[in-house]
Amino acid sequence: MGKVAVATTVVCSVAVCAAAALIVRRRMKSSGKWARVIEILKAFEEDCATPIAKLRQVADAMTVEMHAGLASEGGSKLKMLISYVDNLPSGDETGFFYALDLGGTNFRVMRVLLGGKQDRVVKREFKEESIPPNLMTGKSHELFDFIVDVLAKFVATEGKDFHLPPGRQRELGFTFSFPVKQISLSAGTLINWTKGFSIDDTVDKDVVGELVKAMERVGLDMRVAALVNDTIGTLAGGRYTNPDVVVAVILGTGTNAAYVERAHAIPKWHGLLPKSGEMVINMEWGNFRSSHLPLTEYDHSLDLDSLNPGEQILEKIISGMYLGEILRRVLLKMAEEAAFFGDIVPPKLKIPFILRTPNMSAMHSDTSPDLKVVGSKLKDILEVPNSSLKMRKVVISLCNIIASRGARLSAAGIYGILKKIGRDATKDGEAQKSVIAMDGGLFEHYTQFSESMKSSLKELLGDEVSESVEVILSNDGSGVGAALLAASHSQYLELEDDFETS
Ligand SMILES: Nc1ncnc2c1ncn2[C@@H]1O[C@H](COP(=O)(O)OP(=O)(O)O)[C@@H](O)[C@H]1O
Ligand SMILES: O=P(O)(O)OC[C@H]1O[C@@H](O)[C@H](O)[C@@H](O)[C@@H]1O
């Protein structure tokens, strides 16, 4: 063979070897990176694990903290707030009432015509608005002016079906989904903001007073007959349709729970014992924390970056505002440390809260063989144009880990409440029926979450007792519940009572 040919052959074979070496090196590098992805995934799964034994520890800790929070003010991270609701709706409520519901994402206005035991809710109209994010961190009067503006526009559309007896003032129930220290059923001061809200000049203010001032600024003449947390409203609305409702849980932007406590089991209550012998407690369970909670590095960094560091720890690993953000943080680590989306970290992936929980649940419920919903969400939200099936499967695994941790911990919290009120076991073979009224967009729309929560609760209760515990979706119970509580505290009630007895 000529020298040229030999040289060419040598050059080619060197090039082929080099190319082969490059491919091998790239494969080894990519397999090394993939191994890192799986390592991150496995570590996350382990840190989020909620075996039944851990759930029982969390439930017991919740029960202990409930006792501590009822024993003294500040006795626990669980505020265990007295609602001044010592009588839940009887079903006899009648009349025409408004309800306002300020949540973590949405603001709802509603009017209901109540027809007593016979006709129940004769008519109901409502309107929902998203709360402009800038109002969540602006000035107090701006938020309340927004609320009153929506309310005034809604009142202006009042039709002939809703009529007030002449000379009467419109009355409303105000559902306020934040921790409030109630001083009566219709007054209370904001303890602190949560979720995405942070408005300094509302803290320690009477939120009813803020609302009334905003109404006066526009000449809207309405009386606030009740101020309730959305869990209290949901409990009241739930009890209106089901007499066995004893607990209400919200899984929405935030999370919280309320339940019916025996008035004599509230050492910090120094008022007169209510005739009913009962008092509804707003637990503010989102603020629960315990060494038994399975917290990860992503939870700690999310908490540090939040508007309320060190607060609402349970809420930050369970509720709708945060689940998508946890997913984003894990994907970001995989992108930065294992080139999960390639050598460049997608810029969008670095934006906090860009990955919302509704998008997470849409990916989680993707049953297509090629997981095309996952692919399109990664493309539309994170601008990741191409993703392999194995990448999409990792995303599904992360959704499952995050959602089942939140769901199972919610179940543990409910189990802790049932233990507190002695409804976690049968007595002489009998078990009292206990109904848990649920509300909130996370529970209502994230099926894998709600199913996991219900199955975990059954697992904790055991077959026999779980027969007597029912979980129901009490959709917008808080709106009707607030109107019912307004009705039972209407300024015209005495007139009606006098009328009936005269
Ligand atoms: N399809 C969905 N899948 C999962 N979570 C959802 C879905 N839709 C809404 N959510 C969650 O529910 C929250 C809204 O809850 P909702 O109870 O409707 O309002 P608010 O929290 O304002 O009372 C959203 O912040 C979101 O986290
Ligand atoms: O209805 P949302 O916005 O999800 O609120 C649920 C809970 O969110 C928590 O952050 C509040 O402290 C509670 O008071 C509230 O009940």
Side-chain angles (χ1 to χ4, degrees):
M1 187 188 295
K3 280 183 186 172
V4 172
V6 168
T8 306
T9 307
V10 167
V11 166
C12 285
S13 56
V14 166
V16 165
C17 291
L22 186 64
I23 289 167
V24 166
R25 198 162 52 249
R26 278 201 177 147
R27 283 217 177 110
M28 280 178 66
K29 197 173 167 200
S30 66
S31 67
K33 285 179 178 169
W34 190 253
R36 180 67 184 126
V37 167
I38 299 306
E39 190 180 39
I40 294 170
L41 176 64
K42 290 299 173 206
F44 182 58
E45 187 170 34
E46 279 162 29
D47 293 345
C48 286
T50 51
I52 195 74
K54 179 173 279 293
L55 294 185
R56 292 193 191 284
Q57 288 172 323
V58 169
D60 289 344
M62 182 71 77
T63 308
V64 166
E65 291 307 315
M66 289 173 75
H67 279 287
L70 292 173
S72 61
E73 286 304 335
S76 164
K77 297 289 276 181
L78 289 184
K79 297 179 177 71
M80 304 299 283
L81 301 170
I82 288 164
S83 66
Y84 288 84
V85 174
D86 53 29
N87 267 312
L88 284 164
S90 63
D92 296 324
E93 293 78 7
T94 58
F96 165 38
F97 297 91
Y98 279 84
L100 312 183
D101 182 351
L102 180 69
T105 299
N106 303 306
F107 171 59
R108 289 168 280 263
V109 286
M110 183 192 299
R111 50 179 162 249
V112 288
L113 191 55
L114 299 168
K117 274 225 168 47
Q118 184 64 34
D119 301 326
R120 315 291 280 184
V121 177
V122 175
K123 191 167 176 59
R124 181 174 81 123
E125 290 176 350
F126 74 98
K127 190 170 178 336
E128 181 170 286
E129 298 260 352
S130 295
I131 302 158
N134 63 302
L135 293 184
M136 299 181 185
T137 54
K139 289 285 180 203
S140 188
H141 74 85
E142 292 167 339
L143 175 66
F144 284 91
D145 286 344
F146 162 75
I147 290 171
V148 167
D149 180 54
V150 172
L151 172 61
K153 288 186 174 118
F154 186 61
V155 170
T157 64
E158 205 174 275
K160 59 183 180 1
D161 295 345
F162 295 87
H163 57 276
L164 272 176
R168 282 202 180 185
Q169 187 183 23
R170 291 182 183 88
E171 294 181 293
L172 68 88
F174 185 20
T175 300
F176 189 75
S177 306
F178 301 89
V180 165
K181 178 153 182 52
Q182 305 262 163
I183 47 180
S184 72
L185 184 84
S186 58
T189 55
L190 175 68
I191 297 170
N192 57 256
W193 289 107
T194 60
K195 296 165 288 203
F197 282 71
S198 178
I199 305 173
D200 292 343
D201 62 331
T202 320
V203 177
D204 294 332
K205 291 268 180 62
D206 178 352
V207 293
V208 171
E210 293 296 294
L211 181 66
V212 168
K213 281 188 288 187
M215 288 196 276
E216 286 165 352
R217 285 195 284 271
V218 298
L220 185 59
D221 175 26
M222 295 180 83
R223 173 179 176 265
V224 182
L227 169 67
V228 293
N229 183 263
D230 56 340
T231 53
I232 308 296
T234 300
L235 190 65
R239 178 67 75 88
Y240 187 60
T241 51
N242 185 320
D244 296 319
V245 168
V246 288
V247 178
V249 176
I250 301 284
L251 285 162
T253 306
T255 186
N256 190 14
Y259 73 105
V260 182
E261 182 58 273
R262 292 137 300 178
H264 65 72
I266 309 172
K268 72 179 180 182
W269 169 255
H270 301 304
L272 287 174
L273 281 179
K275 282 206 298 288
S276 67
E278 296 181 330
M279 179 63 76
V280 180
I281 299 293
N282 166 16
M283 292 173 63
E284 285 296 332
W285 85 354
N287 202 44
F288 174 78
R289 74 179 310 159
S290 158
S291 57
H292 299 300
L293 286 180
L295 299 176
T296 71
E297 61 182 273
Y298 311 97
D299 303 316
H300 293 308
S301 61
L302 182 155
D303 178 47
L304 288 177
D305 294 343
S306 70
L307 287 170
N308 52 347
E311 299 296 316
Q312 301 296 106
I313 298 304
L314 182 67
E315 179 165 80
K316 287 169 180 169
I317 60 177
I318 280 188
S319 72
M321 177 168 169
Y322 303 102
L323 296 188
E325 174 60 4
I326 297 168
L327 174 61
R328 181 191 70 84
R329 286 172 181 261
V330 186
L331 288 173
L332 179 59
K333 179 169 178 130
M334 289 182 170
E336 288 173 341
E337 296 189 10
F340 185 63
F341 293 111
D343 292 339
I344 310 289
V345 174
K348 294 273 186 171
L349 188 57
K350 298 174 183 170
I351 303 171
F353 296 101
I354 193 167
L355 190 42
R356 315 296 291 178
T357 304
N359 286 317
M360 173 178 164
S361 74
M363 291 194 287
H364 197 176
S365 50
D366 184 357
T367 53
S368 60
D370 56 350
L371 297 177
K372 59 175 171 299
V373 175
V374 178
S376 62
K377 290 294 182 188
L378 293 177
K379 184 161 172 262
D380 299 345
I381 299 167
L382 302 178
E383 293 178 356
V384 171
N386 307 302
S387 52
S388 64
L389 183 57
K390 70 176 186 176
M391 286 167 69
R392 296 174 185 181
K393 284 180 177 173
V394 166
V395 173
I396 295 285
S397 299
L398 291 174
C399 292
N400 204 37
I401 293 165
I402 296 164
S404 54
R405 174 180 71 166
R408 289 172 66 80
L409 289 171
S410 305
I414 294 171
Y415 184 54
I417 297 171
L418 291 173
K419 285 166 78 79
K420 175 68 177 67
I421 58 177
R423 293 190 177 223
D424 63 310
T426 55
K427 286 196 178 75
D428 314 324
E430 289 297 308
Q432 207 169 351
K433 182 80 191 271
S434 304
V435 175
I436 321 289
M438 304 295 305
D439 200 2
L442 175 66
F443 183 85
E444 185 180 356
H445 300 297
Y446 200 153
T447 311
Q448 288 92 336
F449 187 104
S450 54
E451 289 309 310
S452 171
M453 192 208 88
K454 288 186 278 192
S455 60
S456 304
L457 183 59
K458 276 192 186 333
E459 196 182 349
L460 285 162
L461 288 166
D463 293 343
E464 189 184 11
V465 178
S466 60
E467 287 300 309
S468 64
V469 175
E470 186 184 2
V471 175
I472 61 170
L473 175 63
S474 181
N475 203 331
D476 197 31
S478 62
V480 174
L484 288 161
L485 291 165
S488 50
H489 293 81
S490 163
Q491 61 188 323
Y492 303 109
L493 217 51
E494 309 75 62
L495 290 180
E496 269 149 24
D497 289 351
D498 296 348
F499 179 75
E500 277 159 10
T501 50
S502 63

